[in-house]
Amino acid sequence: MENVLVVGGAGYIGSYMCKYLSKNGYAPVILDNFSRGHRMAVRYGKLYEGNINNDGLLAKIFTENKIAAVMHFAAYCYVGESVTAPDIYYKNNVSATLNLLEAMVKNNVNAFIFSSTCATYGNPIDVPIFEDHPQHPINPYGRSKLMVEKILKDFSQAFDLKYVCLRYFNAAGADPEEELGEDHRPETHLIPLVLQTALGMRDQVEIFGNDYPTHDGTCIRDYIHTDDLAQAHLLAMERIMGGFSGDMYNLGNGKGYSVNDVIEKASEITKTSIKTKVVNRRQGDPAILVSASQKAIEELGWRPKYHELDAIIETAWKWHKKNPKGYEE
Ligand code: UDP
């Protein structure tokens, strides 16, 4: 069975990826420092605890396990926080990733799947957004991810490193088997905040601006289920293992939902009236981000299963109902 190093394997998407890999005949090996992940989310694979800029630990992992590919989920991912604390975004998302890549080159591990983001596009000129859309990120989070995309291109030309960048739109939903779900501390993402409000854990949802140039004035995003993201990672990894390198793929549903749309759908699903309050815009938020993901469908054979927001929110709702306080640890 081939080993896949899942960096950030205790986080929201990384932990689900480990489950998906093990269900598909791979052995996940997890590296996580638990700065934002959860011990209870580590249920599949062997765990190493530590940082990706710990060269000794990386060498140990690469020596003790023959690693066929590395998937990298260990990044900070809050747009708002990246504006107020850019230092930790560049340190963690760029500098530490550079260290991981250097260690891979040194240890002859040559397949890398990078979790990139639609935030690398900035304010889109054309919607839906194709992969060749200009990349002018408007927040440090997006810039940190774009820097790694550029580093990867240079590394792949200089060294024996094959890679794929997967530009996620808005990751959402929970494990359909209700074992793993979304639990950020602090939580900043819209869907979990709305569901926690439905559960009575929060008084209201703040809507960050209702004066955007959209149908109802609130920001539009394209929500994609973690199961569909995991499927794309597996396909990308198998493509790299087949010798392919150096491409990027959008991962989204191609449908945009406003903040108000999300709240409305969540109210229907949870059968709750969700109290809201309009507040100022959050810095760094583009008005509309909607993907064109045909490239992943055509070239990777990606077949997303969760096309509708309702189905995505339903999986999240089941998990939140079962785990109102998130992972208890
Ligand atoms: N949002 C909001 N209130 C919140 C959290 C998020 O209005 O409490 C909005 C946010 O401005 C964005 C959308 O919801 O337009 C999705 O934000 P989220 O943080 O979930 O994901 P992001 O788009 O930042 O990756």
Side-chain angles (χ1 to χ4, degrees):
M1 203 184 277
E2 290 192 287
N3 296 311
V4 178
L5 178 61
V6 181
V7 182
Y12 170 42
I13 307 169
S15 61
Y16 189 72
M17 189 71 232
C18 291
K19 180 169 183 174
Y20 199 91
L21 282 167
S22 56
K23 278 193 164 183
N24 283 278
Y26 292 92
V29 175
I30 298 152
L31 172 61
D32 205 294
N33 65 3
F34 295 102
S35 67
R36 299 204 169 177
H38 303 278
R39 283 177 204 282
M40 282 185 64
V42 179
R43 300 194 184 181
Y44 298 87
K46 175 171 166 188
L47 170 69
Y48 289 85
E49 186 170 347
N51 292 323
I52 51 174
N53 44 25
N54 180 339
D55 291 331
L57 179 59
L58 290 171
K60 180 176 154 74
I61 295 170
F62 291 134
T63 312
E64 289 180 359
N65 309 273
K66 187 170 166 23
I67 299 290
V70 177
M71 296 186 177
H72 180 28
F73 299 91
Y76 291 162
C77 64
Y78 301 155
V79 168
E81 181 187 63
S82 80
V83 175
T84 53
D87 49 337
I88 62 169
Y89 277 70
Y90 292 117
K91 252 189 218 150
N92 187 52
N93 294 8
V94 183
S95 161
T97 301
L98 179 58
N99 201 71
L100 171 65
L101 293 172
E102 280 180 317
M104 285 179 63
V105 171
K106 254 187 238 157
N107 291 277
N108 301 312
V109 178
N110 72 354
F112 190 71
I113 320 290
F114 180 56
S115 303
S116 189
T117 168
C118 60
T120 58
Y121 294 115
N123 273 315
I125 304 161
D126 296 310
V127 177
I129 303 170
F130 285 85
E131 286 82 356
D132 60 359
H133 187 285
Q135 288 176 293
H136 299 298
I138 61 165
N139 53 59
Y141 167 61
R143 276 190 281 277
S144 72
K145 291 284 185 171
L146 182 56
M147 284 175 191
V148 175
E149 285 199 6
K150 290 183 190 296
I151 290 170
L152 281 170
K153 190 167 181 208
D154 292 338
F155 264 53
S156 73
Q157 279 164 9
F159 310 118
D160 176 23
L161 183 78
K162 298 189 181 66
Y163 74 98
V164 162
C165 296
L166 298 175
R167 295 182 187 147
Y168 313 166
F169 281 64
N170 282 57
D175 175 6
E177 293 173 359
E178 299 172 33
E179 191 182 18
L180 301 163
E182 184 167 14
D183 179 4
H184 296 105
R185 313 241 177 132
E187 190 54 77
T188 66
H189 292 109
L190 182 63
I191 293 177
L193 288 174
V194 170
L195 297 179
Q196 287 170 358
T197 310
L199 281 167
M201 317 281 297
R202 294 175 188 270
D203 295 337
Q204 61 187 15
V205 177
E206 291 188 336
I207 296 173
F208 296 151
N210 65 353
D211 57 350
Y212 284 97
T214 62
H215 66 275
D216 61 16
T218 65
C219 284
I220 291 180
R221 295 288 180 273
D222 176 346
Y223 295 88
I224 182 78
H225 199 284
T226 47
D227 185 76
D228 291 329
L229 292 178
Q231 184 201 134
H233 280 73
L234 189 70
L235 291 165
M237 180 181 81
E238 287 176 345
R239 198 153 150 82
I240 292 180
M241 287 169 168
F244 175 85
S245 176
D247 219 339
M248 40 280 299
Y249 296 94
N250 286 341
L251 299 178
N253 262 312
K255 287 182 201 151
Y257 294 93
S258 71
V259 173
N260 282 341
D261 293 336
V262 170
I263 296 168
E264 204 175 293
K265 291 230 178 271
S267 293
E268 285 165 24
I269 290 162
T270 62
K271 301 187 178 57
T272 318
S273 148
I274 294 163
K275 200 173 156 208
T276 59
K277 181 184 174 197
V278 177
V279 298
N280 288 339
R281 288 181 176 199
R282 182 174 70 179
Q283 267 187 294
D285 263 341
I288 305 178
L289 291 169
V290 177
S291 73
S293 300
Q294 287 92 326
K295 189 175 165 191
I297 291 167
E298 284 161 20
E299 293 185 13
L300 297 179
W302 187 45
R303 297 289 175 267
K305 291 195 236 160
Y306 292 85
H307 297 288
E308 301 301 328
L309 182 60
D310 305 59
I312 296 174
I313 295 179
E314 265 162 27
T315 62
W317 177 231
K318 281 187 187 152
W319 192 80
H320 281 278
K321 265 196 300 189
K322 206 168 151 186
N323 303 277
K325 293 187 183 154
Y327 292 108
E328 305 236 24
E329 39 200 356

